[in-house]
Amino acid sequence: MNPEEFFREITLRICSSLDIKVVLTRCFEYLELHFPLDEIALDIYDSQLSAIRRIAHVAASGKRVDEIVPLPENVWNWVRNLTEPMTMTASTDLPVAQATAPLVMREGNSDLVVPLSIGKKKIGLLILRAYGDEKYERKHLNLIKIVSEPFALSLSNALAHEELLNYSNTLLDDNTFLQRELSSGLDEEIVGRDSGLRNVMDMVRQVASLNNTVLLVGETGVGKEVIANAIHCSSTRKEAPFIKVNCGAIPDSLIDSELFGYEKGAFTSANKDKRGRFERANTGTIFLDEIGELPLPAQVRLLRVLQNREIERVGGSKSIALDIRVLTATHRNLEQMIREGKFREDLWFRVNMFPIFIPPLRQRREDIPALTRWFVRRKSKELGLRKPPAIVPGALDRLVKYDWPGNVRELQNVIEREIILFEGGPLEFRSLLPGSEELKSHSFHKEPNLPEPVRLDEAMALHIGKVLAFTKGKIHGPGGAAQFLDINPNTLRSRMQKLGIK
Ligand SMILES: Nc1ncnc2c1ncn2[C@@H]1O[C@H](COP(=O)(O)OP(=O)(O)OP(=O)(O)O)[C@@H](O)[C@H]1O
Ligand SMILES: [Mg+2]
């Protein structure tokens, strides 16, 4: 056998595929012509398990073998120190051959064991097996030795490839999970779609299938985000990403890199490329909430994106074309801001092509009863109550008459607090309407055994105690006392400490 031709042929077969099983099968077919050969295997050293892990195995008979062979410590060390190919049979008089023989079922077989390493790094073994005793000779050892290096490379590539595949599968999995998390809440119930929000929903239906920019205008808490979700979900982009950006929540200095991403080296801490929110929203929808909060320089750049549908990353030199639907929202009066020079008129023309006004709750009082029932049901479920509390006759009327400066969100909060304070009892909404005259007297009447007037500290301690009793001591997280009291959990803890609440 011409060694050069042998090397060439094996190398070609090794390079013929990324799939290590395919590679090994092709090598088997060739080696079979020059070696006694019934099985061939590639094993790696798995230091974590102190074991030999079989990465690929081909047998003429098609039979399978164990994929992981844990080794006793001394054998493991010895195997790891192999540098030269050697033959082993059941009668080989070496301690390691004796120790491994039963583990690898060597009885009645001859093995040609070839250690594989890259540089100093020992990575595994190539094993040729022929059925029968003493099948391998010196010439086989010499020949196989020539190709140990290409086999080592192929094994190492296969491992790297496997790792990449695992990695990318994990990422895919994470991504699907996160997308699902993000879109949970997207199919949220819209109460009032056929009454107070009928006009709004008509407009949603008109624009949903188009690609135009939409501006959602309305007071705080009216449901701008709910409507943005609805537009995305009834559009053809509903399976694609829906990326929300609260323009008011990003510090001015970070806006550009958040929205447009950056390229490695754009600034000192940019040690790798990063996609911005626009790129992440590609093929889907981006929702620019509180667009009135965008600083003027960012408004200029946003205008360019809206005109050209392409972005440039910070520090980048090429434009990236985007297929994107832009939804925006504001509770501010943008026209007023234009007059004050705080909002660019040219940007306003772009975003204001299809404005949707979401009326405040006081202008659609007919929705209040349905919203109340819906929130009572939902909150009770979240709080783990067996059944939603009843609403006292006349209580709904009180809610309908109230002016709701905080709109739907305020209604939702009021209901949540009422359910907690009344511990599952019927809801009256007497005490909780902020600003209502009854509030001031009512809370004292609720505590007949308190000397009046109480110190603020005492009232606070009592109230916190009640809420804690309701949440069964849970302080933070959903359904925790901090959430109900609408304060930061750490603030609550330190206040409890001060007031001596355990
Ligand atoms: N029609 C509706 N049906 C059910 N829930 C609603 C409705 N409108 C608003 N909500 C609820 O009220 C809360 C406030 O709504 P949302 O966040 O959409 O308001 P917003 O206008 O974006 O407020 P902000 O200006 O404060 O950002 C949310 O919890 C939302 O789920
Ligand atoms: Mg909002």
Side-chain angles (χ1 to χ4, degrees):
M1 171 82 247
N2 173 351
E4 267 153 41
E5 197 195 316
F6 178 70
F7 181 85
R8 197 183 106 85
E9 191 58 39
I10 286 290
T11 315
L12 278 178
R13 284 165 191 258
I14 283 177
C15 296
S16 69
S17 169
L18 259 178
D19 183 337
I20 191 77
K21 298 232 161 74
V22 173
V23 164
L24 208 59
T25 308
R26 288 179 185 159
C27 290
F28 183 94
E29 287 160 3
Y30 179 70
L31 288 169
E32 212 178 12
L33 309 175
H34 306 284
F35 290 74
L37 191 63
D38 294 291
E39 290 180 30
I40 185 169
L42 272 172
D43 297 345
I44 59 154
Y45 301 133
D46 190 324
S47 309
Q48 265 170 359
L49 301 175
S50 282
I52 285 177
R53 190 151 68 88
R54 188 136 290 184
I55 293 296
H57 175 251
V58 180
S61 62
K63 76 167 190 191
R64 300 269 327 128
V65 288
D66 279 353
E67 300 212 324
I68 294 184
V69 181
L71 297 179
E73 175 112 359
N74 56 335
V75 180
W76 167 250
N77 287 334
W78 192 89
V79 170
R80 290 289 303 256
N81 286 327
L82 262 183
T83 49
E84 291 294 316
M86 60 179 301
T87 59
M88 285 189 201
T89 63
S91 52
T92 302
D93 201 14
L94 265 175
V96 67
Q98 295 295 322
T100 52
L103 299 175
V104 300
M105 291 174 286
R106 197 174 289 122
E107 187 65 39
N109 300 317
S110 306
D111 285 347
L112 186 51
V113 179
V114 188
L116 303 177
S117 51
I118 294 180
K120 288 212 175 70
K121 188 161 184 253
K122 307 205 161 72
I123 53 174
L125 300 169
L126 168 71
I127 295 172
L128 275 58
R129 171 168 286 187
Y131 303 152
D133 273 336
E134 309 297 343
K135 292 284 185 180
Y136 294 113
E137 301 164 20
R138 183 87 247 160
K139 63 172 186 192
H140 297 125
L141 277 175
N142 292 340
L143 196 56
I144 201 71
K145 198 175 163 178
I146 309 178
V147 289
S148 72
E149 213 170 312
F151 267 112
L153 276 172
S154 131
L155 181 58
S156 147
N157 282 343
L159 290 175
H161 187 61
E162 179 188 51
E163 201 172 325
L164 260 183
L165 281 184
N166 284 342
Y167 189 54
S168 105
N169 281 339
T170 317
L171 281 181
L172 259 180
D173 194 48
D174 282 357
N175 193 21
T176 331
F177 172 78
L178 289 174
Q179 288 293 351
R180 216 178 304 131
E181 286 281 288
L182 278 177
S183 53
S184 69
L186 277 186
D187 47 4
E188 216 180 337
E189 173 79 14
I190 300 181
V191 180
R193 49 167 70 239
D194 297 317
S195 45
L197 290 177
R198 185 165 350 128
N199 290 341
V200 171
M201 294 314 288
D202 282 347
M203 288 166 98
V204 167
R205 269 185 291 277
Q206 278 173 39
V207 284
S209 58
L210 307 175
N211 259 332
N212 61 335
T213 304
V214 174
L215 174 64
L216 302 165
V217 195
E219 289 177 13
T220 178
V222 285
K224 297 185 290 294
E225 189 165 334
V226 171
I227 298 301
N229 285 340
I231 296 179
H232 173 73
C233 287
S234 22
S235 76
T236 51
R237 297 169 181 262
K238 61 172 182 283
E239 302 294 339
F242 180 59
I243 303 289
K244 297 175 197 175
V245 186
N246 185 339
C247 302
I250 307 172
D252 288 7
S253 57
L254 296 182
I255 286 218
D256 279 354
S257 51
E258 269 302 313
L259 290 183
F260 309 120
Y262 52 77
E263 230 130 85
K264 189 174 167 177
F267 38 86
T268 342
S269 58
N271 50 11
K272 59 178 192 302
D273 292 355
K274 183 174 177 275
R275 293 187 305 153
R277 310 261 184 123
F278 272 100
E279 264 181 271
R280 283 177 206 281
N282 199 14
T283 72
T285 307
I286 190 164
F287 174 40
L288 302 172
D289 203 358
E290 304 300 354
I291 194 174
E293 314 305 313
L294 268 189
L296 284 166
Q299 291 180 23
V300 178
R301 283 182 281 272
L302 174 60
L303 178 65
R304 217 158 14 188
V305 180
L306 294 181
Q307 281 166 340
N308 307 332
R309 300 281 147 172
E310 55 183 36
I311 55 141
E312 249 169 53
R313 290 183 181 163
V314 176
S317 47
K318 63 177 197 298
S319 304
I320 303 171
L322 295 178
D323 164 23
I324 210 166
R325 167 79 177 280
V326 182
L327 304 179
T328 62
T330 185
H331 69 279
R332 302 255 228 148
N333 181 339
L334 292 182
E335 279 120 317
Q336 173 73 22
M337 288 181 73
I338 293 172
R339 284 193 291 277
E340 290 166 359
K342 292 182 185 148
F343 200 80
R344 291 184 63 101
E345 192 167 20
D346 43 11
L347 178 59
W348 183 74
F349 281 126
R350 280 275 162 186
V351 298
N352 195 42
M353 285 199 273
F354 200 103
I356 298 182
F357 173 71
I358 304 165
L361 201 49
R362 65 183 167 280
Q363 287 176 16
R364 44 181 168 113
R365 294 180 192 270
E366 69 270 34
D367 290 349
I368 293 176
L371 278 167
T372 306
R373 287 191 207 97
W374 160 247
F375 287 136
V376 168
R377 243 183 294 129
R378 199 174 69 176
K379 283 295 155 194
S380 311
K381 208 158 139 196
E382 274 174 35
L383 292 170
L385 300 183
R386 265 184 300 116
K387 66 184 190 27
I391 301 172
V392 164
L396 275 180
D397 207 36
R398 253 189 295 278
L399 295 180
V400 173
K401 289 201 178 109
Y402 179 69
D403 263 353
W404 301 111
N407 292 295
V408 184
R409 179 174 298 112
E410 187 186 3
L411 174 62
Q412 198 176 324
N413 291 343
V414 163
I415 290 169
E416 182 164 341
R417 280 178 218 189
E418 182 92 353
I419 295 181
I420 291 164
L421 281 183
F422 286 75
E423 296 175 13
L427 310 178
E428 298 184 32
F429 303 110
R430 229 176 243 289
S431 56
L432 280 165
L433 295 185
S436 90
E437 275 311 303
E438 283 158 287
L439 170 68
K440 287 146 202 158
S441 51
H442 187 75
S443 22
F444 291 116
H445 293 148
K446 286 280 300 166
E447 297 304 336
N449 45 3
L450 258 188
E452 291 183 56
V454 292
R455 289 208 335 271
L456 188 58
D457 269 5
E458 289 169 349
M460 215 187 303
L462 197 92
H463 184 62
I464 293 178
K466 262 180 109 174
V467 173
L468 279 171
F470 185 82
T471 66
K472 304 204 172 62
K474 181 171 177 184
I475 294 181
H476 73 210
Q483 190 193 40
F484 294 138
L485 294 166
D486 205 9
I487 61 174
N488 184 301
N490 294 329
T491 316
L492 176 56
R493 277 203 195 87
S494 69
R495 201 162 290 174
M496 284 166 59
Q497 213 167 26
K498 239 188 238 156
L499 297 170
I501 306 173
K502 286 268 160 349

